[in-house]
Structure formats: C-alpha cells, structure tokens
Amino acid sequence: MLAVFDLDETLIRGDSSQLFTEFLRAENIDTSPDSEARGRVFMRAYNNGHMDLQDYMEFSLAPIRGWQRDQVQELIDRFVTKVIPPRILPTAQERVAWHKAQGHDVLVISATGEHLVSPIARHLGIDDGIGVQVEWHNNSLKGTIGSRRPFRGGKVSALEEWIAARQASPEKVWFYSDSHNDLPLLNAVDYPVAVNPDPILEDYAQQQGWLIFIDEVALA
C-alpha cells in the first residue's frame, strides 16, 4: 500500500516555494524590487490552473543561481527549521501517522522544486519526496529545471516513474491533495482524498463521494 501526499495546503499551510521566496527577502538574499508582486501573479495563475511552471521555477531559483550545493543545503535547512514547524497541518500529519502505523509506504509529491520538497518531507517524518527536477553543474545551481515536472498531469508520470524505478507494485494507492490542479492524479489512484480543498476540488470531490478533510487552521 502506498500513501501519497501533496505538500502545500495539504501537509503545511501555505505555498512552500512562495514561503522560501519570502524567506530569501527576509534574509536580504532576494533584493529584486518586484519579486513580491511577481510572486503574487504566479500564485494567481497557479490557482487558475494555468501557471507556466518553468517561468515560475526560474523566477524562484534566480536569487540563489550559481550557489554551491552545500550553501543551498545550509540555507534550506535554516528555512525549514525556522518557517515550517508552525505551518504543519494536523489532519494530514495524522493520516501520515496512520499510514505508517499500517506499514504503508509514504511519499510526498509536489510541484515545488525538489530542493525544498525532500528536506521538508524529511522534517515531516517522510523519507521520500518527488519535486520539480532542479539542475546543477559541477555542484553549482544552474537556476533551470529538468524534465521531471510533477504539475497537473506531470504528477501521474512522475509517480509512475518513481514506482518503476523501485520495481514496486503497490496493491493500492492513496493520494491526498488540496488542489484541482491535482485532479489527474486524484482520478488515477484507488483512494483519492481532498484535504483543505479549493472550491473546484471540493465540488468535484463531493460529486464523486470522496473523503474530504478540512483543517480550520488552514482557513485562518
């Protein structure tokens, strides 16, 4: 059995990539004057289901382009330690604990960059995470992304590749998400679950009779 969790607004309150951009501004690493406004434009596009993932990732990686891998890791460790703990949402964490108690494999899959997804997943007690592939050259961050892009239908192919690479064949697959952007994967699994769903996903989940969980803190 495999339990797959989206990250943002499912396991944590907020968008992890946007939170990282805000962290970079607070640390005076991102000093571009228009970054906050551009970030809002990208988030509106995401919520409407038509964000250009490559443009967004290149925007979010730009402040640390050229950094060495160990510098990036140290920065992200500080970000995760400082920003993530108060944003952990209870329902999905309870479901993670339930699945682990059943002996199920647990995985995070997100349209956020892998440089953030894997460390946040580990902080949440989840060993495996799939994110947007981030490219490096000689341990230097290129600021570009590779072919693995788990956004919308890309989450289906990314999960299929992850399963194939492990020569695994899970008996059943659960998937927990908040976003209508994840409908391709939600419709592909055995047990789709809506967690803190956006209005489009909530309506769809109700029509399909799916489980729906809502954290009041997510709405605060």
Side-chain angles (χ1 to χ4, degrees), residues 2 4 107-109 130 148-170 173-175 184-189:
L2 173 64
V4 183
L107 170 71
V108 174
I109 185 166
I130 302 172
R148 187 181 65 249
R149 304 179 179 194
F151 177 54
R152 298 181 68 84
K155 280 194 176 179
V156 178
S157 55
L159 179 59
E160 289 172 346
E161 291 168 8
W162 183 88
I163 291 172
R166 284 151 185 77
Q167 298 183 337
S169 183
V173 179
W174 297 67
F175 180 44
L185 184 52
L186 284 162
N187 278 307
V189 301

Side-chain angles (χ1 to χ4, degrees), residues 5 11 91-101 106 124-126:
F5 289 81
L11 286 165
T91 295
Q93 280 293 284
E94 290 169 3
R95 298 302 295 170
V96 168
W98 182 84
H99 282 289
K100 292 174 76 171
V106 181
L124 298 173
I126 301 170

Side-chain angles (χ1 to χ4, degrees), residues 7-140:
L7 178 59
D8 303 327
E9 301 295 358
T10 302
L11 286 165
I12 66 168
R13 178 171 52 86
D15 179 276
S16 52
S17 187
Q18 187 176 31
L19 291 170
F20 186 59
T21 298
E22 293 171 359
F23 176 76
L24 294 181
R25 286 199 296 270
E27 296 283 309
N28 292 317
I29 295 169
D30 181 357
T31 57
S32 53
D34 64 340
S35 66
E36 187 172 359
R38 290 189 65 197
R40 288 196 298 267
V41 171
F42 279 119
M43 286 302 100
R44 283 197 296 271
Y46 173 81
N47 291 332
N48 291 330
H50 55 75
M51 184 179 72
D52 186 315
L53 184 63
Q54 180 164 323
D55 282 354
Y56 178 64
M57 287 299 303
E58 290 181 358
F59 156 74
S60 65
L61 292 170
I64 54 174
R65 182 185 299 124
W67 283 38
Q68 293 298 299
R69 194 182 294 266
D70 57 347
Q71 293 177 294
V72 174
Q73 188 58 60
E74 189 276 333
L75 177 68
I76 291 172
D77 286 346
R78 285 197 284 119
F79 162 71
V80 171
T81 300
K82 182 175 182 180
V83 175
I84 298 302
R87 292 183 168 273
I88 297 172
L89 292 166
T91 295
Q93 280 293 284
E94 290 169 3
R95 298 302 295 170
V96 168
W98 182 84
H99 282 289
K100 292 174 76 171
Q102 308 306 307
H104 301 166
D105 293 325
V106 181
L107 170 71
V108 174
I109 185 166
S110 172
T112 295
E114 62 187 357
H115 61 305
L116 297 176
V117 174
S118 293
I120 294 173
R122 288 194 297 271
H123 185 83
L124 298 173
I126 301 170
D127 293 334
D128 288 307
I130 302 172
V132 177
Q133 183 180 7
V134 174
E135 296 185 314
W136 301 81
H137 178 69
N138 294 332
N139 276 327
S140 176

Side-chain angles (χ1 to χ4, degrees), residues 10 175-183 186-187 192-208 210-212:
T10 302
F175 180 44
Y176 297 78
S177 176
D178 71 292
S179 175
H180 69 277
N181 285 303
D182 287 338
L183 280 171
L186 284 162
N187 278 307
V193 183
V195 181
N196 308 316
D198 62 38
I200 295 174
L201 178 56
E202 185 171 16
D203 287 345
Y204 189 89
Q206 288 174 343
Q207 292 170 15
Q208 299 299 315
W210 293 351
L211 282 174
I212 299 174

